[in-house]
Amino acid sequence: MCFAACADRDGARVLGVKIALGGVAPVPIRALEAEQAILAGEPVERVSAALARGIAPIDDVRSNALYRRRVADNLLRDFLRHVALPS
């Protein structure tokens, strides 16, 4: 799977954010609900839940759905910690 994201910030305020994932749906997707949660200032747990609702990974020969969900969540949290919502 793959994860690409960027955030436009003004100090601590997030002005814009884009998150895209591959390997968690039939085609690459934007995580629009997670993006909106970030812009609304939601806590990490709610952003994570929004991402989980927006993906539909499958089991196949390359990986299983549970692993893909965990990786997507870990990459999102890393992005939030280091880029979008640093303390």
Side-chain angles (χ1 to χ4, degrees):
M1 67 158 290
C2 58
F3 180 98
C6 64
D8 183 22
R9 297 181 48 211
D10 180 18
R13 188 169 157 234
V14 178
L15 303 175
V17 63
K18 295 200 184 329
I19 302 170
L21 297 102
V24 294
V27 297
I29 61 163
R30 285 268 307 277
L32 300 173
E33 190 177 346
E35 293 172 4
Q36 289 302 314
I38 293 168
L39 292 174
E42 297 287 349
V44 172
E45 291 305 319
R46 288 195 181 175
V47 177
S48 175
L51 178 73
R53 287 189 296 274
I55 63 176
I58 62 168
D59 293 320
D60 66 16
V61 296
R62 291 170 291 227
S63 184
N64 64 53
L66 178 60
Y67 174 79
R68 293 173 200 240
R69 283 189 178 282
R70 285 184 179 164
V71 170
D73 187 60
N74 287 341
L75 291 170
L76 172 71
R77 289 171 184 270
D78 191 52
F79 170 70
L80 294 175
R81 188 171 35 257
H82 292 100
V83 179
L85 304 174
S87 46

